Amino acid sequence: MAQIKQVAITGGTHGNELTGVALLKHWRNHPNDVARGSFHTELHLANPKANSQCRRYLDQDLNRQFELSNLNDHSLCGYEQNRAKSLNALLGPKEDPRVDFVIDLHTTTANMGTSLIFNTDDPFVVGMAFYVQTKMPHATLFFDPIDRLEDNFLTSLGRHNGFLIEVGPVPQGLLRADVYLETKQAAEHCLDYIDAYNLGNLPDLPQSRSGYRFLEKVKLPENDMGELTAMVHPNLQDQDYQPINPGDPYFLTLSGETIPYQGDQAVYGAFINEAAYYDAHVGLSLMEKIEIKLKNAPIAG
Amino acid sequence: MAQIKQVAITGGTHGNELTGVALLKHWRNHPNDVARGSFHTELHLANPKANSQCRRYLDQDLNRQFELSNLNDHSLCGYEQNRAKSLNALLGPKEDPRVDFVIDLHTTTANMGTSLIFNTDDPFVVGMAFYVQTKMPHATLFFDPIDRLEDNFLTSLGRHNGFLIEVGPVPQGLLRADVYLETKQAAEHCLDYIDAYNLGNLPDLPQSRSGYRFLEKVKLPENDMGELTAMVHPNLQDQDYQPINPGDPYFLTLSGETIPYQGDQAVYGAFINEAAYYDAHVGLSLMEKIEIKLKNAPIAG
């Protein structure tokens, strides 16, 4: 496999997630923090207009616009659908990208800590996740493999399907120092990994680690008029990546009645009460716990 | 002092603070929760348009528009400046209001728990704060007396300067069940108090309680271009209503340097890292700790 020569770090893909935006500014003023000897790092504010208005997006979620068929569909012309094409020209084109790897910085209002989200079983990328987790053992691996050309995340624009660093909890529209420092650390570990990979200096990595794979989004209960009638139950609030067993408290109605989880086997919650999904009345994502395997040692050819 | 005959509960004064909005819906479907024998309760969504867009406001912060001189200034014609005049017609007019008392429901992204905010030393209102605190001992009293006609809060529209219930932490744009239940409980205790006051059934109340009074807002450090260069320090984050002593860590620059608090005496923080104030780069409010006295027993005449 070829060496990594060009890495893009992107932030502000969601305009009200300010941590990545602030880190880009910091790194522009302190380029040594992201400079490594064996490759070049470029920094991009992904959605400046949404960021200037401190909104997640103007027309569409930018981080759902990068499927190849959508990038090539010029009838899709909302603000973010156009911006995705512009980023594809800047970093891609997706079929044969200029940039080797994209690291995209996100935050969540959910109590998820540091999640390393990657959508490929490419040993180079799995190895990155395992490497960062050895440096930050509290980080959670969030793995949802999909063909890169069908992937709709910004991270799929690079030659390798990339890496999304998601840290929380932090409200939208502000910086928390703990979340900022955690995101900075995780991103800089990724760069260290890429440098070590290029130089053939990678440490031994584990062969397998636990992680979580997305199953489905769960909507909160609504009435006939589409209004919310219940909230995430207090016992479930903030319990991201913890098991939800059949019969466990799941929702609490506005009148105070508990609705239990009706599934027939344990699942795990993530993005519990994420503000960004609340307009669609999505209360949480259900995840399954999995073992993620490093198929081969990641070695640059 | 006259009995209280007409009470308004308002929510959604800030359109992205959904707790009050959900409680209004709940109470409309369960009117007995807010019905008391000795007065009438009315429920009002204060800023439906901002709420429908899940924004704090469209043009101006609605909860700063109720100073009498501004209500009477028809050159002030932003969306919320007009809406304030409409609410003044509905609940007031401020000089001689139809409504006796306004309870306004708010949330904060800061770790402030339940704050009972009132801007008058009127024994009826101070008594309400003390009463609610006897029922909810963890609640904090937030006291900032000002002449009612000069007060710019929605709560100042009633005959008595009213009561603002502020609960957090909760991100903007979602419901947390704990915050919802806490807000519901505090508001319903207020109604119980008013009913007991009207009926001459008030329990003995303390003569004095500790509380906090606003001193000043503190901006985060900026560079010459007006960009943030520092964040609230991790040691200060979430420490609302705790003392800040001279030399304590105050801010953390984006490069990781600690800036200490430079004041010469202890103060207390509130609204620490409140998302709503972040566009103005306000990092926190400084408060002084005070004793609040109940001058006379609140007795209806």
Side-chain angles (χ1 to χ4, degrees), chain B residues 44-46 48 62 65-66 71 74 76 78-93 98 154 157:
Chain B
H44 298 290
L45 180 58
L62 176 59
Q65 305 306 324
F66 294 94
L71 290 172
H74 295 279
L76 301 175
Y79 181 78
E80 278 77 12
Q81 291 166 335
N82 289 336
R83 178 67 183 159
K85 294 169 176 73
S86 167
L87 290 167
N88 188 43
L90 177 67
L91 304 174
R98 177 181 65 82
L154 171 55
L157 274 189

Side-chain angles (χ1 to χ4, degrees), chain A residues 175-176 180 238 254 273, chain B residues 174-176 180 238 254 273:
Chain A
L175 298 176
R176 272 186 72 111
Y180 174 93
D238 301 330
L254 297 185
N273 239 352
Chain B
L174 60 80
L175 299 176
R176 271 186 73 110
Y180 173 93
D238 301 330
L254 297 184
N273 239 352

Side-chain angles (χ1 to χ4, degrees), chain B residues 120-298:
Chain B
T120 173
D121 60 3
D122 178 345
F124 168 69
V125 183
V126 176
M128 181 182 289
F130 287 8
Y131 175 88
V132 176
Q133 203 188 40
T134 61
K135 302 291 184 182
M136 304 173 76
H138 56 280
T140 301
L141 307 187
F142 191 122
F143 176 63
D144 198 16
I146 179 172
D147 181 82
R148 187 179 70 81
L149 297 180
E150 291 174 17
D151 192 340
N152 58 14
F153 279 12
L154 171 55
T155 47
S156 70
L157 274 189
R159 190 167 298 278
H160 298 264
N161 209 345
F163 214 75
L164 191 156
I165 298 170
E166 175 100 57
V167 185
V170 58
Q172 298 167 341
L174 60 80
L175 299 176
R176 271 186 73 110
D178 50 358
V179 168
Y180 173 93
L181 294 173
E182 187 81 1
T183 307
K184 183 173 192 288
Q185 195 183 348
E188 293 177 7
H189 284 316
C190 290
L191 302 179
D192 291 340
Y193 170 85
I194 297 170
D195 202 38
Y197 166 83
N198 280 342
L199 299 174
N201 281 342
L202 279 182
D204 286 341
L205 293 170
Q207 290 306 299
S208 175
R209 300 300 290 256
S210 293
Y212 297 85
R213 183 160 52 196
F214 173 78
L215 292 172
E216 59 175 317
K217 288 191 173 181
V218 178
K219 285 194 77 169
L220 295 163
E222 297 173 342
N223 63 18
D224 292 346
M225 291 179 293
E227 298 171 330
L228 283 186
T229 57
M231 308 167 278
V232 166
H233 194 279
N235 292 22
L236 178 57
Q237 176 74 47
D238 301 330
Q239 302 304 309
D240 297 82
Y241 299 127
Q242 298 302 309
I244 303 170
N245 292 299
D248 279 354
Y250 204 40
F251 302 126
L252 185 77
T253 72
L254 297 184
S255 303
E257 293 104 35
T258 293
I259 299 174
Y261 174 61
Q262 307 272 2
D264 53 12
Q265 56 184 7
V267 289
Y268 297 78
F271 291 109
I272 297 174
N273 239 352
E274 162 58 48
Y277 303 151
Y278 220 74
D279 57 349
H281 292 180
V282 169
L284 71 158
S285 292
L286 297 185
M287 313 291 289
E288 60 177 338
K289 199 165 186 175
I290 55 168
E291 278 298 303
I292 304 167
K293 296 192 189 307
L294 186 60
K295 292 184 193 167
N296 304 295

Side-chain angles (χ1 to χ4, degrees), chain A:
Chain A
M1 205 187 84
Q3 290 206 339
I4 303 295
K5 288 297 170 194
Q6 202 68 27
V7 173
I9 304 180
T10 53
T13 305
H14 295 136
N16 56 8
E17 296 177 7
L18 303 190
T19 304
V21 179
L23 279 168
L24 294 176
K25 278 188 189 163
H26 168 75
W27 286 324
R28 286 207 179 97
N29 293 328
H30 299 80
N32 285 345
D33 287 4
V34 288
R36 300 292 183 275
S38 67
F39 60 90
H40 181 251
T41 305
E42 52 190 84
L43 305 169
H44 299 289
L45 181 57
N47 197 343
K49 189 166 179 184
N51 177 241
S52 72
Q53 297 183 26
C54 203
R55 292 164 61 183
R56 183 174 174 91
Y57 54 79
L58 304 184
D59 290 338
Q60 298 89 20
D61 188 329
L62 177 59
N63 205 32
R64 303 293 182 275
Q65 305 306 325
F66 294 93
E67 188 176 340
L68 180 61
S69 61
N70 290 339
L71 291 171
N72 291 335
D73 181 349
H74 295 279
S75 72
L76 300 175
C77 55
Y79 180 79
E80 278 78 12
Q81 291 166 337
N82 289 336
R83 179 66 183 161
K85 293 169 176 75
S86 167
L87 290 167
N88 189 43
L90 177 67
L91 304 174
K94 189 159 184 173
E95 304 93 318
D96 183 20
R98 177 181 65 80
V99 162
D100 294 307
F101 200 76
V102 177
I103 300 168
D104 194 26
L105 307 181
H106 287 255
T107 59
T108 172
T109 69
N111 187 33
M112 289 170 65
T114 296
S115 297
L116 309 173
I117 302 179
F118 51 107
N119 296 353
T120 174
D121 60 2
D122 178 346
F124 168 68
V125 182
V126 176
M128 181 182 291
F130 288 8
Y131 175 88
V132 176
Q133 203 189 41
T134 61
K135 301 291 184 183
M136 304 172 77
H138 56 280
T140 302
L141 307 186
F142 192 122
F143 175 63
D144 197 17
I146 178 172
D147 181 80
R148 188 179 69 80
L149 296 180
E150 291 175 17
D151 192 339
N152 58 13
F153 279 11
L154 171 55
T155 47
S156 69
L157 274 189
R159 189 167 302 278
H160 299 266
N161 208 345
F163 214 72
L164 191 156
I165 299 169
E166 175 101 56
V167 185
V170 58
Q172 298 167 340
L174 60 80
L175 298 176
R176 272 186 72 111
D178 51 358
V179 168
Y180 174 93
L181 294 172
E182 186 82 0
T183 307
K184 183 173 192 288
Q185 195 183 350
E188 293 178 5
H189 284 316
C190 290
L191 302 179
D192 291 341
Y193 169 86
I194 297 170
D195 202 40
Y197 166 85
N198 279 342
L199 299 174
N201 280 341
L202 279 181
D204 287 341
L205 293 170
Q207 290 306 299
S208 174
R209 300 299 290 256
S210 293
Y212 297 85
R213 183 160 51 196
F214 174 78
L215 292 172
E216 60 175 318
K217 288 190 174 181
V218 178
K219 284 194 78 170
L220 294 164
E222 297 173 342
N223 64 18
D224 292 345
M225 291 179 293
E227 297 171 329
L228 282 187
T229 56
M231 308 167 277
V232 167
H233 195 279
N235 292 21
L236 178 58
Q237 176 73 46
D238 301 330
Q239 302 303 310
D240 297 82
Y241 299 127
Q242 299 303 310
I244 303 169
N245 291 299
D248 279 355
Y250 203 41
F251 302 127
L252 186 76
T253 70
L254 297 185
S255 302
E257 292 102 37
T258 293
I259 299 173
Y261 175 60
Q262 307 273 2
D264 54 11
Q265 56 183 7
V267 289
Y268 297 79
F271 291 109
I272 296 174
N273 239 352
E274 163 58 48
Y277 303 152
Y278 220 73
D279 56 351
H281 292 181
V282 170
L284 71 158
S285 293
L286 296 186
M287 313 290 291
E288 61 178 338
K289 199 166 187 174
I290 55 168
E291 278 297 304
I292 304 167
K293 296 191 189 306
L294 187 60
K295 291 185 192 166
N296 304 294
I299 299 169

